[in-house]
Amino acid sequence: KARKRFGQNFLNDEFIINSIVDLINPSNEDVLIEIGPGLGALTRPTLDKVSHLNVIELDRDLVTRLKDDIKLSHKLSIFEADALTFDFSQFYEKNKKVRVFGNLPYNISTPLIFHLLTFHSLFLDMHFMLQKEVVNRMCAQPNSKAYGRLSVMTQYFCNVTPVLEVPPSSFTPQPKVDSAIIRLLPFDKIAQPTKSIKLLEKLTKIAFSQRRKTIRNSLKSLFEPDELISYGFDLKLRPENLSVENYIYLSNKLFEKQKI
Ligand code: SAM
């Protein structure tokens, strides 16, 4: 039976499962990682296409089941580990980027995405099943309700596309929310890099923690009103009105200020 604390909702819909694997389009030469293989709904059809797959699973009982399945186990490298703290850089191979996918546990999806983004240059692409609302937030454009810290940080590192919606009926047990698959393609080279990712994180955290306030107030602890004006910002703007580029620009201003 499914464990709630591990965010277990197992895919049961053959058509959806095949559509997801088609979207991922695994090929034999790929260095592939699946996060949260569970009972193997995505693992099995993926293994029909590749000879080797790395999987990271936290639930010991599920790990045992995967290991006991002889058809699967000789093709799998099973890591019984917490994906939230997992060091993905161990998959680094020269001239070969890593592909990662998974039907993620929804209870930890946001911190997990932030953790994965720290390895952005390792990954060729990422395909994740998430709550549709989280997918919407990751893809959101400025001036919308869904736009926030997750949008800025994801779009800073990656090209982001929602690729498939999945209804609750495709899972056992059924989640209470709609789901969707997102495709993340980390940029080879970030066009306008921040001088400090830490400051970009800090800035967006502070800005969106008071998203109804104007930037004059929400960014008060970081910038004087006069500074914001001198950078060309209207003090009446709200955090959701600033673009990703605006946040990068402001993080670099913070970086310069720290140096003084
Ligand atoms: N891939 C399977 C499927 O689609 O049917 C299972 C998906 S289920 C939504 C999430 C899976 O992630 C479960 O197998 C769960 O045990 C595992 N999991 C939960 N937390 C985890 C963590 N911190 N690290 C790795 N796996 C985790």
Side-chain angles (χ1 to χ4, degrees):
K1 67 185 172 307
R3 290 196 163 123
K4 213 169 176 189
R5 77 191 154 99
F6 289 132
Q8 289 173 354
N9 298 91
F10 300 112
L11 278 166
N12 61 23
D13 181 332
E14 210 64 29
F15 177 76
I16 290 286
I17 291 169
N18 290 331
S19 308
I20 294 168
V21 176
D22 284 348
L23 284 167
I24 299 167
N25 193 21
S27 92
N28 215 0
E29 295 75 50
D30 293 340
V31 181
L32 265 183
I33 309 172
E34 181 181 4
I35 299 175
L39 298 166
L42 296 171
T43 319
R44 288 164 211 277
T46 301
L47 280 176
D48 290 340
K49 308 200 170 197
V50 302
S51 53
H52 185 253
L53 176 60
N54 302 289
V55 299
I56 304 170
E57 174 58 63
L58 182 60
D59 185 336
R60 180 178 300 168
D61 293 343
L62 292 178
V63 168
T64 307
R65 288 175 71 152
L66 289 169
K67 282 183 177 159
D68 286 348
D69 188 331
I70 295 161
K71 270 210 211 120
L72 288 181
S73 61
H74 72 288
K75 288 175 153 192
L76 286 183
S77 296
I78 304 175
F79 296 82
E80 185 183 332
D82 184 349
L84 268 181
T85 51
F86 193 83
D87 180 10
F88 288 88
S89 67
Q90 64 188 278
F91 293 108
Y92 175 81
E93 280 181 37
K94 211 175 168 197
N95 301 324
K96 200 148 197 191
K97 292 217 175 182
V98 176
R99 307 188 64 202
V100 57
F101 68 96
N103 172 12
L104 298 185
Y106 294 174
N107 52 336
I108 56 162
S109 57
T110 306
L112 186 51
I113 295 290
F114 276 105
H115 180 61
L116 286 155
L117 287 176
T118 64
F119 300 96
H120 60 99
S121 59
L122 182 72
F123 298 128
L124 180 69
D125 59 20
M126 307 182 230
H127 290 86
F128 296 128
M129 175 93 74
L130 295 161
Q131 248 177 272
K132 191 174 145 196
E133 181 241 319
V134 174
V135 166
N136 289 343
R137 276 162 50 203
M138 291 171 84
C139 300
Q141 294 301 304
N143 309 315
S144 66
K145 255 193 181 161
Y147 182 73
R149 179 162 184 251
L150 189 60
S151 332
V152 175
M153 297 312 297
T154 309
Q155 293 168 33
Y156 175 71
F157 290 114
C158 304
N159 182 297
V160 199
T161 328
V163 286
L164 183 71
E165 291 194 14
V166 182
S169 58
S170 299
F171 304 83
T172 312
Q174 294 194 15
K176 291 197 177 66
V177 292
D178 285 328
S179 301
I181 304 267
I182 193 169
R183 173 181 289 148
L184 303 174
L185 303 175
F187 299 119
D188 267 337
K189 199 165 174 283
I190 293 168
Q192 189 193 338
T194 178
K195 294 184 175 117
S196 165
I197 195 67
K198 284 256 148 60
L199 288 176
L200 183 63
E201 281 172 2
K202 181 176 166 185
L203 170 67
T204 50
K205 194 169 202 168
I206 289 175
F208 288 105
S209 66
Q210 301 192 302
R211 55 180 300 139
R212 272 125 117 57
K213 292 195 174 172
T214 62
I215 57 170
R216 171 195 202 108
N217 290 315
S218 62
L219 299 181
K220 195 158 60 186
S221 63
L222 304 172
F223 298 103
E224 297 296 331
D226 284 351
E227 285 177 301
L228 289 172
I229 291 170
S230 75
Y231 305 152
F233 290 98
D234 180 338
L235 293 177
K236 289 204 218 55
L237 291 173
R238 290 173 205 279
E240 70 179 48
N241 304 127
L242 304 196
S243 65
V244 176
E245 291 72 27
N246 289 156
Y247 281 107
I248 297 166
Y249 177 87
L250 285 176
S251 73
N252 287 339
K253 289 295 177 195
L254 277 180
F255 183 80
E256 286 162 23
K257 274 166 44 136
Q258 284 200 336
K259 302 216 111 179
I260 299 167

